Amino acid sequence: MAVRKSAEVHPLPIPLLVHIVNEWGDAPRIEAHEGRKPYPTADSLRAESPAFWAHFPAFDETTLVETANLIHPIFASTTGAECAERLNGLISEAAMTPVLSSEAWAVHEVWQTARPERALLAGATLSLIDHLRHEPDASRLGTCVGDACVDVYVDQSPGGRRQYCSLTCQNRARTRAYRAGKRAATEASS
Ligand SMILES: [Zn+2]
């Protein structure tokens, strides 16, 4: 029987994770009426940071779409319990386990995956685990409340009240609210 080699999991930087979910995820694309547009290529992503991707086995657009579709529900969780349950699901899906490794006297935790073909999902999952270790408030992982947008974001504001993926979505909503308010005022005075 062939021994299955475990690979070390490399966490994705959070902005990269958010980028992948929003560019390749079906939910954000369909909500933005971009479901029929061709996906950006995996090569275009790798070209942005070739040194980082050198840690990963080759992947294509299908892998990016699968990963994005599995990660989006974490951001769409409505309770902490749901978020935890979904992340536990991803840990088993990517066959991830923590192991301790050492360098001289320094002992530290690393994660391995028994499914190297799931390295991207494992890296995405680990980046969320790492994030929650520092910021356990899972309500800060959110999806945009803007029109035609369910893009994900990580709220790093001091107050933790972010609701939009971007200033573009926030400004669009403000303009709309302003116009609606003006219309209501005009109707009330006529
Ligand atoms: Zn948005």
Side-chain angles (χ1 to χ4, degrees):
M1 202 176 93
V3 178
R4 244 176 143 181
K5 228 181 144 220
S6 288
E8 185 175 338
V9 178
H10 296 275
L12 308 185
I14 288 285
L16 181 58
L17 169 71
V18 165
H19 176 69
I20 290 174
V21 175
N22 292 340
E23 292 302 314
W24 281 271
D26 285 327
R29 285 166 52 89
I30 291 167
E31 188 71 21
H33 309 294
E34 288 176 354
R36 283 155 190 268
K37 265 179 50 177
Y39 293 101
T41 63
D43 283 342
S44 70
L45 181 73
R46 271 191 297 262
E48 289 168 30
S49 37
F52 176 74
W53 292 117
H55 298 300
F56 288 76
F59 57 84
D60 57 11
E61 290 77 33
T62 311
T63 308
L64 284 162
V65 174
E66 276 171 11
T67 303
N69 288 345
L70 286 166
I71 295 292
H72 191 272
I74 305 289
F75 286 84
S77 299
T78 52
T79 61
E82 200 170 65
C83 177
E85 189 186 324
R86 288 176 179 177
L87 271 173
N88 282 331
L90 294 186
I91 289 171
S92 42
E93 179 69 34
M96 296 165 65
T97 40
V99 287
L100 292 174
S101 130
S102 68
E103 235 182 282
W105 275 106
V107 174
H108 53 257
E109 170 202 322
V110 293
W111 285 68
Q112 292 186 336
T113 169
R115 297 184 66 189
E117 74 279 10
R118 287 288 207 185
L120 189 65
L121 178 65
T125 303
L126 183 54
S127 85
L128 291 170
I129 295 170
D130 285 347
H131 171 78
L132 288 165
R133 194 173 291 153
H134 299 290
E135 176 46 84
D137 181 355
S139 72
R140 283 171 170 266
L141 304 174
T143 55
C144 186
V145 299
D147 283 335
C149 187
V150 289
D151 278 17
V152 304
Y153 61 81
V154 177
D155 185 353
Q156 283 163 333
S157 68
R161 297 212 185 83
R162 184 165 167 183
Q163 288 187 293
Y164 297 95
C165 70
S166 62
L167 278 176
T168 313
C169 276
Q170 187 176 356
N171 290 339
R172 202 179 290 147
R174 275 199 187 141
T175 311
R176 180 184 291 263
Y178 175 75
R179 290 214 185 108
K182 243 177 126 177
R183 207 178 308 128
T186 316
E187 279 162 15
S189 65
S190 64

